[in-house]
Amino acid sequence: MSAATVKVRLVFADHGAFHSEEVEVPVASLRAHERLIDCLREDPKVLARLHVDAARLCAAVVLDGA
């Protein structure tokens, strides 16, 4: 049985162009942090799943309710 996840849309800037990616983040990790950016940059379970280039990150939005 896998842990519950929530979809998050990440928007990146790349030399004047923007692109988005949808990723899944554990709900427990999201709830453990006051801010979404802290969850993406600091949570060990999230870091094990993905790497977020914080310098290029423009926006992060939770797509599902958590």
Side-chain angles (χ1 to χ4, degrees), residues 41-62:
R41 292 177 65 185
E42 301 170 3
D43 192 277
K45 290 182 182 176
V46 174
L47 293 173
R49 290 175 171 246
L50 58 106
H51 167 76
V52 176
D53 185 350
R56 293 179 32 225
L57 183 65
C58 296
V61 180
V62 175

Side-chain angles (χ1 to χ4, degrees), residues 3-10 21-27 30 36 39-40 49-50 60-66:
T5 61
V6 63
K7 286 187 182 181
V8 175
R9 177 174 291 135
L10 306 175
E21 298 287 334
E22 289 184 12
V23 297
E24 291 190 7
V25 175
V27 172
L30 188 61
L36 177 56
C39 177
L40 295 172
R49 290 175 171 246
L50 58 106
V61 180
V62 175
L63 299 177
D64 299 325

